[in-house]
Amino acid sequence: MIKDIVEKLPFWERLSPEQKALVAERSSLRSFEANQVIANTDNTCTGIVFIERGGIRASLLSDEGKEVTLFRLSNGECCVTTASCVIEQISFNTLVTTTEQSMLLVVPAGVCEHLVATNIHVKAFMLEVEAERYSQVIRVLQQMLFKRLDQRVAAYLLARSAAVHSAESKLTQDELARDINSAHEAVTRVLHRLANDGLIEVKRGRILILDAGRLSQMT
C-alpha cells in the first residue's frame, strides 16, 4: 500500500531508482485522530507529510496559548513545514495538527535530508512549496490588518466553498473564528447578520452559501 502512495509524491518521478527505494522503504503510513498534534517545529522535525486522506492545519502558538491559523492543507497536498530542520531557509516555528481523522504518509527527516543533499529537484520542490506557504502567511496578516471582520468572514467562506467544490461547508463557528483569527462572539454576530441578509444559512456544524455573488462583493 505504501508503494502506491509514495508514487503520488510530487517529486517521485524526479528520484533515482535508489532514492525511490529508500523513500518506499523508510516512509510510513500513519493514522491520526482529529486535532492530534503532528509536529511542533519548535522541538521536532517530522519530515515531509503527504495527506492521503484528511486534513491538517498549521498555526502559530503564543506563550499564552493563543493560536493564529496560517494555512490548511487537504487530500493530495504535501506539508514541508514539518521538515523545517532540513532546509535552513524555513525559519518560523509552527504547530501542525490534524483537522479531522487523517491518514498521512510521512517521509522521515533523515530521508528528506538525504534527498535534499543529493537531488536538486527535491530541494527546489521544498523551497517552492514553502514559498507558497509564506505567501499564505502574508495573506493572513493582510486580512487581519486591513480587512473588516465581515470581509474576512465572506472571503473565508468563499475560499472554503471553492476548496470543497460545494456551496455547503462542514464548518463550525468555532473553527471559522479560529481560522480567521477572531473572537467567537464577533464571528457569530457577523454570521447572524449575513444570514438575516439572505447571503448564507447557518446549520449545525455547517454553513451554506445562498448568494455567492453578493458575498463576493463584500470582499
Side-chain angles (χ1 to χ4, degrees), residues 5-18:
I5 298 175
V6 293
E7 292 179 359
K8 299 178 184 179
L9 289 168
F11 51 81
W12 178 258
E13 295 302 325
R14 297 286 194 169
L15 301 180
S16 68
E18 294 78 11

Side-chain angles (χ1 to χ4, degrees), residues 19 70 81 84 111 115 117 119 131 142 162 176:
Q19 290 169 339
L70 301 177
T81 303
S84 58
V111 173
L115 295 178
N119 191 311
Q142 288 175 326
L176 173 56

Side-chain angles (χ1 to χ4, degrees), residues 36-99:
Q36 188 173 345
V37 175
I38 301 168
N40 182 343
T41 57
D42 270 333
N43 50 37
T44 61
C45 188
T46 304
I48 293 175
V49 171
F50 175 81
I51 306 171
E52 171 63 12
R53 184 179 71 252
I56 64 178
R57 170 178 173 264
S59 60
L60 295 177
L61 186 64
S62 72
D63 293 338
E64 296 77 25
K66 182 179 179 180
E67 285 187 66
V68 174
T69 298
L70 301 177
F71 56 83
R72 281 175 173 256
L73 300 174
S74 58
N75 294 357
E77 294 186 290
C78 274
C79 183
V80 303
T81 303
T82 47
S84 58
C85 63
V86 176
I87 295 183
E88 60 184 11
Q89 289 90 340
I90 302 176
S91 57
F92 64 94
N93 297 318
T94 57
L95 177 70
V96 182
T97 58
T98 51
T99 57

